[in-house]
Amino acid sequence: MTYHNLLFVLAAVFAVWAVMAKKLLTSAIMLASLSAAVSLIFFDFGAPWAGVFELSVCAGLITVLFIGAVSLIRAEEEKHPENRTRFYALPLAVAIFAIAAWFYLPAFFDELATGRQMAAGGGTIGLALWDLRRPDMLGQVLMLAAGVFVIKSVFPRRTENK
Amino acid sequence: MNIILIPILLPLLTGLALLLISEKTKYLKELLGIGAAAVSLLAAVNILLVHPAPLHHHWLGTAISFTLIADNLSAFLLLAVSLFSLAISVYSFSMPNKGSAKWFYFNLLMTQGFAAGAALSDNMVAMLFFWEGLLVFLYTFIALSQNTHAAKRTAMKAFLINAVTDLCLLAGVTITGYIAGTMSMSDISANKLTLDYGWSLFAYVLLLIGAVSKAGAFPFHTWIPDAATDSSAPFMAYVPAAIDKLLGIYFLARASVYLFTLNGTMQLVLMSLGAVTILVAVMMAFVQKDYKRLLSYHAVSQTGYMILGIGTLNPVGIAGGLFHMINHATYKSCLFMTAGSVERQAGTGELSKLGGLFRAMPVTGVCFLIAAAAISGIAPLNGFFSKELVYKGTLDTGYTVFFLAAELGSFLTLASFLKLGHSVFFGARPEGMKETKEAPFSMLLPMLTLAGICVAFGFGARFPIEWFIAPSLAGMNIETGLLWGFHADKLYFVSVIVILAAVMNHLFGLSAGGGKPSKSSDHIHYAPVLKETYALAERKVFDLYEQTMDRVVPPVSLALFKVDRFFDWTIDALPGGVASFFGGASRRFHNGSYPLYMALTIAGAAVYILLAGGLK
Amino acid sequence: MDKGLLAYLLIPLLSAVIIPFAAKNRPKLADILANVTLLAGLANLAWLALRPSIIRGEFADIPGDGLSLLLVAAIYLVAFCVTFFSAWFLDEHLPNRQAYYSLILVSVAAMCGVVTTTDFFTLYVFIEVLAVTSFALITTDESSGGIEGALKYFFLTFPASALIIVGIAVMMMSLGGLSFESLRIFMAADAPAGTVTFAAALMMLGFLIKAGVAPFHAWTPDAYQGAYAPVSAYLAGIVTKISGVYAIIKLATLLRFFDGRAQAVSEMVMFLGMFSIALGALAALKQTNFKRMLAFSSISQVGYIVLAAGLGTPLAIMGAVFHLLNHATFKTVLFLNSASVEKSAGTTDMDKLGGLEHSMPWTSWTSIVALLSTAGVPPLSGFWSKLLIILALWESGLKTYAVLALLFSIVTLAYFMMMQKKVFFGKKTAAAESSPEVSAPLLAPVVLMSALIVALGLLFPYFYTYVKMVAERIIL
Amino acid sequence: MDLPVKMLILAVAVPVLGAFLIPIAARVSTTARNAFAVLLGLFTFLAAASLFSTVLGGQTASWGLSFPRGFDLILHADLLSVFMASVSAFVSMIILIYSVDYISHYENQTEYYLMVVLFLGSMMGLVFSANLMWMYVFWEMTGFASWRLVGFFRSDRDVAKANKTILVTVFGALCMLIGIIIVYFDYGTLDLRMLHGQAISYAAAAFILVGILSKSATLPFSTWLPDAGVAPSTVTSLLHAAVLVKIGVYAYARIFGVTFAAPDAFSNAVLYIAGASALVSAGAALIDTDIKRIIAYSTISQLAFIFLGLASGNKTAFIGAILYILMHSVAKGGLFLCAGIIEQNAHTKDINKMGGLFSSMPVTGVAFALCSLSVMGIPPFGGFFSKFLVFSGAAQNGNLTVLLMFLAGAVMTLLYLVRLFYKIFLGEPAGHNNPKEGSFTMVASVMALALIGLALGALIYYPSAYAELLTNSLGVNLQ
Amino acid sequence: MSTFAMEWYLIAIIIFTGFYCMLASRSIVRQLIGLEIVSKAAMLSVISAGALTDNLVYAQALIITMIVIEVVVVAAGLALLVKNFRLHGSADIWKLDSLKG
């Protein structure tokens, strides 16, 4: 079990914790921890740009959004807490899945790995984004515009009603 | 234009022309009708004498042509048809109870034209065309003769019975035409069919049904007595008494003699049919209390003799059958005419209300006496000779039982006419009929003519046989000498016995019935067993038509209707139900539950990956 | 990415960004801007299409594979119909009017991106954009149904994104690239294709979920029923078709289903297609809500396209593309009709409607044209596309599928007849008396689309030539 | 393009396209619309009839429009199609004339005229199509028009029946499409002229037969026809008598009579199906009490006779069937139109509530009687000859069971028609106030049909010679 | 077993956890968290595949785009959540069953 794999296990543990946490706030924080673990994995893979983005955006921005939303609904959530039996079953389910999958998933993934096509590698992230994935940049722009309009649409400025 | 067309086209065209004439014109319609009938009769005589060339015309496609041939049999038949048409036309001139004069003459002329066509057609399809065409006019004739619902109902009954049997005839014709390879009767007679195998037997039986039904034999006769009550005397004198008998027996003879070679079994069938018809109808006739109704049962009964005669399959019997056909038409028309006269003059046809009219209506009375004697087979009138031939033919076959049945029929015929004659023309005249006068001349003339023919064909029985019947049966090598004149024979003896028995019976009946002639049949009517049987017959239990309509048609059609509903269910309710089931199941499934949907999606995805992802 | 078509993507985006600023205080300006933008695009397309050679039926100089152009035209057409309809339909005081048009324009841009892209990841990106705009569009009128539909749409289609990403990861690994071309070349070669097929199967699964193919259809009726009325038409008519069905067709052609390289996937897709046809049709039979019934109908029709795509022969692809186009026309008409009914009668509950043809003849007749086309009644366009699909199935020996697909047309007809009986075709009722025909501008797009249905049917040889050209180019 | 080809195209195009101009004419005035519709009918009839000169001269006229994959639209006028087109167009024209008065009492008249003319046009297209696919296309178009027309009165029940009508017939049509597809893949073409004389597989024949049976309302798909009697009488007349149910018969004649050599076992199966249909529907006609349903059942029963003629496999029967189509169209059209007059004036369709109507509506009564006689097959009406030839052919086929079934069917035909006539026109009046005779054009239309039935009997040589020429020159596999 | 297989095995477990969360949870927030978990796992698969084929730069380019998408998606989801909460006063997705049939 290498450090590398340990990070993956950590991520899995955070994921399970995020699901099982009693309070939504804990869940949100565990999700942030998961993001942090993922960004550590990125760094470990030698993908610093992805790691930085992950850390700042996912562990940061998204967590803030989550906490904001959670605080909005917390009162109601505490009034009607969820039946948690299903979540207590999660470790058991994960264990069963893990054991069942152990027998053929790794073998299957090995088979996948043997069919790989090595790439040339190299280049910088900027060039990769700009030269190879230029349409994606357009997509990002569209996505951001869409995000703005979604928020505008869902939370319209009400003047007449007031 | 071929003269052969005149007896067909002239009445038809005149009939159609009549429809255009206003109902208000006096005598024009009648005169037109009589004129057309007279010209047709002349043409018929001409045809009989010269035998004009056959007429061929393209008709139903190229395979079936319209062919008219005047051979001996058909020319003879045509003559008879034309004669009776003329007689009835003249008779009806002043007959009031015939419905609208325009429609009466229209029906009469159309019937005449179609009957003439049926007689002359050589092609079976053409014959069928004319034959079935008569149906329409049969219906209108009855339906328009009286303005009552009963008339309509009887018209429907007559129409349906004849239409159904005509359909049988149609099927028979198609099969005959198919197995013979031709529709031409003259071609088939050159190479007659046998009853060896199923199809030809089937075909003959179908033809037989068509023919005997037209002739009005048992069990297809039941509309005739009804029509006697619900329609006019001229109609009865014309259609059931004359035209239908002529055509029916004509075609029976055609089929049995010219188209098919019959075998012993079929002989037995025909003779049995004849004997049963004779007895059943005459038993009914005997107890009737209405002038026309009594006559109508006799019209049925006499058919039995003809069928019996033809059923013997020997030349004597067949000749007798044909002779009886023409004789019967003569005297039965005459009798119905007397009935019409009496009805017109006395105002009723009920026997119990009539009596002693001979003095008031001597000519009618004489005609009645002659015709009644003829029908009863009293020598030397025509009925006697034809019946003798039938008897002789029957005896020749060796089936004495049919002979006895026929003689019994003769006995009852005479007995019933004694009753009828006594009731109407003799005895005491009722109070209301003191003023009754003789019928007008236009009615007497045809009666007298027909009575005259009865006498003439009696004394001169050789002439009709020599002129008409023997040539018609030319192929059969009849020893014509046997066919006419008086021969010393035990049959005379038998007939005398029958006459005596009938007179005795009448006298006994009179005394039993309290001296009232109209009740002179009561001792038989109310005899044990017979009483119940008659009661049943009164309730129409033996009426094939009524029984079928009441007992067979409703359940069968209801069953078929249920089948129809079943199929309706299979194409309507069943698919609807199945669709509803699935639709309802789907509605219950799509219950809006998010976890269900999520589980479905994830489970579906898992199954998909396992099956399609190569994840072995 | 096809640069010739980039303008169709960028101009709506630009317009979408401008609208909130320009129309800040003049809500009507948003209508005008959106419509003008789309109309300009349509005019440009018309100008392209009206060249003599195109009119003669020679499509040699059509750029790219021809499919992108065709679908761009369809996108613009449907979007224009919807915006034009919306301009008169929207409530005067709808607070998010500007955002509504911006979202539509963004989604038009995203759809143009989807149909013009040549790379799986880019495809994914645009599909996500499309999904995000759809969530917001559904809730435009802030009704409870809209929110519910949007949330179900959001969460039930999300697994698709993850699966597509995993598929992309596997494909990147086993193919060394993510462009369509590389997959096409790989599949045409004779190399063992196991891992690539796995990747494609995952992506295909994602697209199947996005397309609402049974058993992943559960979100479809809820989203369409809950959605704001014109948005239903937009979603059913084009959005989900582009985000899911188009991708399925594209993937099917790239995987060369017709030569059996990816048989397990092909068979699975065909089975799911058939399953959708059956499930959608049967479920629609007992619906009482007009829009929900149309949603199930949409599932059923998507089934036809997916069935054909799963078969993947050139003829089947022609049928699928043609049916996709037809589906866009007739489903738009029907959903816009339902919107008209909703506006006029105030409800889409069919049990409360009846005899509307007396007061709304245009709506009634256009719905008849559209439903007949859906049910495949000749000579309307739906008939020809279904016929091509069934011929393709039969040609490949899949006679059971062909017969079943054909016979489910009768179920289609049955539920539409039920709808006609309940909504339009009948005696004048109180509901009909109180619901007058909607105004002419609301009818115009519906009538235009109906005319197109008839025209596509009657000009079948012309479109056949085009679609054949498309099939040849994208398969070979 | 020479004249016959032009007429051929016009015979199809004018009604199909003209139908859609009727709403525009309706904007001008009601009279203009009615006149326009009648003119369309008249023109169609004349155009179709003008082709007689071509086909009788041994020529055919063809016109094609290329469609991909061999689905070319081919219009082809030969003896059979011209005959069928003329008969349908003629009866439709009469119906349009009759409609001018009849329909003027109701709403939705414009749609009515549109649909009737569209129906007529589709029928023209159907009979002139020499390509199975286009036959199917026009087939469905007629189904659509009939759907609107059956639901004309718009009550829930009407619309339910209309839906039943279209669903049953479209189901059949889809089955037929499967059959067509089988043929397409067997021979690579759907051009009937090229398929002439080929053998057809059982599967294809069976599937096509399902379509035919459903359209011509034969067991087990028969009951939509009586249910469709909720439509206006003109429509039932148009649908039932003249055109719609004849589509199936025509398709049978076209596909199995003059194109493919149908297998014997297949023809035998058709005979039994038709026999059962004749009996079952005749039985139902004796039970039902709704005048239009009875006539509809009668139609089902009579169609079975046409199938008997077509499937018997010999020329006599085939000629008979062709004549039967003609005679039945005229007579049954007349019956339905009479029923329309009665229904409209007596305000009921229940025959138990009629009775004794003859005195107040004599002309209708006479026309009804004459048409009934023609249907029964009583001479001198044309129906006699067709029935005779059909029976004759059945006898040649040598199948006694079938012959007996049809004999029973013919007997029941007599029974239910006589019952119907008796109950309506004679019988005891049952609580009605002697309804008036119909308007002049309506009565004239029915009388015209009745007299045409009579004239066809008198001039039987011409139609029968035509049918024989048709059979001899086109028939396949007929003895 | 290679590292790669191990990585992907764990990724599968994380995905399983995420889906389990979406299946079991009533709260829309947890739904979103499950969704986030799944997409994290998907990102890990991309980077792992990139690393395996020596294509990390390309993979990073994809991941950056994916992160942008993720943010917007989560923002949209939360917006819907808030709107739903304002409308119904609850964040329970299981209660949303008014659209059915």
Side-chain angles (χ1 to χ4, degrees), chain B residues 58-62 125 129 132-133 135 139 149 156 167 178 183 199 202 557 560-561 564-565 567-568 571-572, chain D residues 164 220 223 279 283-284 293 297 378-380 384-385 388 396 398 400 410 412 418 426-428 460-461 464 468:
Chain B
H58 282 306
W59 196 37
L60 200 52
T62 51
V125 187
F129 174 80
E132 275 204 67
L135 275 176
Y139 183 87
H149 286 298
M156 183 167 88
L167 265 178
Y178 170 57
M183 287 287 177
W199 275 99
F202 185 51
S557 46
L560 290 170
F561 183 65
D564 178 75
R565 287 297 95 195
F567 281 113
D568 185 56
I571 66 166
D572 194 3
Chain D
K164 181 175 177 182
T223 56
L279 284 178
R293 285 181 70 88
Y297 274 120
I378 305 286
F384 165 74
F385 297 100
F388 176 81
Q396 287 184 37
L400 185 62
M412 292 174 82
V418 169
L426 306 175
E428 298 283 346
I460 190 67
Y461 173 70
S464 62
E468 191 174 319

Side-chain angles (χ1 to χ4, degrees), chain B residues 72 189 192 257-258 315 469-478:
Chain B
N72 292 321
S189 64
K192 288 203 281 183
V257 178
Y258 289 99
I469 293 163
S472 304
L473 301 171
M476 301 192 71
N477 296 323
I478 307 173

